[in-house]
Amino acid sequence: MIPYGRQSISEADIAAVVDVLRSDFLTQGPAIPKFEQAMCAKVGAQYGVAVNSATSGLHIACLALGLGPDDLLWTVPNTFVASANCARYCGADVDFVDIDPVTQNISVTALAEKLRTAERLPKIVVPVHFSGQPCDMKEIAILARQYGFKIIEDASHAVGATYFGEPVGSCQYSDIAIFSFHPVKIITSGEGGLALTNDAALAEAMVMLRSHGITRDATRYEQPDRGPWYYEQQMLGYNYRMIDIEAALGLSQLGRLDAFIARRNQLAARYDDLLSGLDIQKPKVLPNRLSSFHLYVVRLTVRDADRHRRVFEKLRADGVGVNVHYTPVHLQPDFQRLGFAPGDFPEAERHGATAISLPMYADLSDEAQLTVVNSLINALGE
Ligand SMILES: *Cc1c(COP(=O)(O)O)cnc(C)c1O
């Protein structure tokens, strides 16, 4: 089976992990700050807080921004459930904004209209850079100032992407950006995530929240320092720490990021070419954006549930590990129980009912890509 995504692990990546295994620290050693600093330097952000997953990163980002039980967070339905669950972990309510049919990112028109007519305004909006294409961050940032909400970029797909020449993660148009290093994403640390920000107070809060809400910085103690063993829990935090083994892998992978992005873009251009003339909607990258192409998603032009399933199953039967990104989050049973229903977000629903993610990863060979293309052409012709 050709998978839809998978990691690329080099001998140097393996050696980096083995070095940690032979060192004094498996966790909380020197690799974590090295990885954080290297990632900050790469994207041009001031602070990076490594965590054990992007899901954890989204959670502590919401907490650092003060999201609580009387608050509201908005995101898109066309995403992984974690983009919405972060609000629920904080006891806050979640609502969705429909997507743009071309980019499948948050629709700025829909966002502006929802803000204009809202009875309750969101405290946080989470734009998701779907498939690695940056959202319209300039426009979203203008709305944030106008309506007073904070922005957390779910940049899980977009490590290595750029927006008007600036790397995603620089937080030029957001408060916090979150990366994921799950093996199907652009670079991997096994499991892992990183929260980026240019705000010292947010970074400090997230450093405490990832480790039990504890500080060992004597200058910050609320009570008298009782001795060299002393530490203080100053808020309720979690064990969301990344470990050194993961950070060493992430750091080694970061050195390969540019090559990964180049190869993914090369594969995308080749898909565009090989799939031309077919009755499908292909990804469209807008001007002034470099997509990291975490995903290459095509859409059937006619919404027909039976045909969608037949094409999908034909590809799988040929050994092509296609997937669907995403079944809209609001249609998950656990979200329908909150009151969401089919029809609430038509563009996201149309997308989920027509989308097929083709295999896309740095080590996908030209030959394997041709197999995918031929299988898709056959499936569409039947
Ligand atoms: C993968 C993903 C996440 C969660 O990442 P983890 O590191 O697995 O927790 C969140 N949001 C989006 C959009 C993702 O694709």
Side-chain angles (χ1 to χ4, degrees), residues 283-301:
K284 182 171 165 49
V285 180
L286 301 182
N288 300 311
R289 287 148 171 91
L290 174 71
S291 175
S292 52
F293 274 107
H294 163 54
L295 301 172
Y296 189 93
V297 179
V298 299
R299 305 204 322 186
L300 305 182
T301 51

Side-chain angles (χ1 to χ4, degrees), residues 105-129:
N105 276 334
I106 189 168
S107 158
V108 171
T109 316
L111 176 60
E113 183 59 14
K114 194 173 173 98
L115 287 164
R116 196 179 62 77
T117 55
E119 284 169 26
R120 241 180 114 194
L121 287 171
K123 182 163 194 162
I124 298 174
V125 172
V126 180
V128 180
H129 304 308

Side-chain angles (χ1 to χ4, degrees), residues 7 20-21 43 82-83 127 147 161 185 208 215 238 282 371 374:
Q7 69 280 10
V20 175
L21 289 172
V43 303
S83 316
Y147 289 93
K185 306 290 164 71
M208 287 182 68
T215 182
Y238 302 84
K282 287 176 291 189
T371 304
N374 289 328

Side-chain angles (χ1 to χ4, degrees), residues 196-272:
L196 294 145
T197 184
N198 295 319
D199 183 314
L202 290 176
E204 199 176 295
M206 291 192 289
V207 165
M208 287 182 68
L209 286 162
R210 80 170 162 189
S211 194
H212 310 281
I214 283 172
T215 182
R216 292 173 189 277
D217 176 356
T219 65
R220 315 202 67 84
Y221 288 163
E222 293 173 20
Q223 297 179 1
D225 189 349
R226 292 177 199 170
W229 60 87
Y230 187 63
Y231 56 82
E232 273 187 359
Q233 178 178 335
Q234 298 184 337
M235 61 181 81
L236 181 62
Y238 302 84
N239 182 350
Y240 282 171
R241 294 184 307 257
M242 181 177 272
I243 67 174
D244 254 44
I245 297 168
E246 294 167 332
L249 178 56
L251 185 61
S252 180
Q253 288 256 303
L254 180 54
R256 305 175 62 203
L257 175 60
D258 293 346
F260 288 165
I261 297 299
R263 177 59 180 160
R264 284 173 178 273
N265 273 272
Q266 189 181 45
L267 286 164
R270 200 155 172 267
Y271 268 137
D272 286 348

Side-chain angles (χ1 to χ4, degrees), residues 112-187:
E113 183 59 14
K114 194 173 173 98
L115 287 164
R116 196 179 62 77
T117 55
E119 284 169 26
R120 241 180 114 194
L121 287 171
K123 182 163 194 162
I124 298 174
V125 172
V126 180
V128 180
H129 304 308
F130 178 71
S131 78
Q133 164 151 235
C135 297
D136 297 323
M137 294 310 298
K138 293 184 188 207
E139 290 80 2
I140 297 167
I142 290 169
L143 290 169
R145 274 196 296 280
Q146 193 179 341
Y147 289 93
F149 60 81
K150 303 291 185 187
I151 301 174
I152 301 173
E153 294 172 77
D154 185 340
S156 294
H157 298 185
V159 181
T162 67
Y163 176 71
F164 287 85
E166 282 289 315
V168 169
S170 70
C171 298
Q172 198 176 341
Y173 301 102
S174 67
D175 297 281
I176 299 171
I178 306 293
F179 285 162
S180 171
F181 308 121
H182 181 279
V184 297
K185 306 290 164 71
I186 308 290
I187 64 169

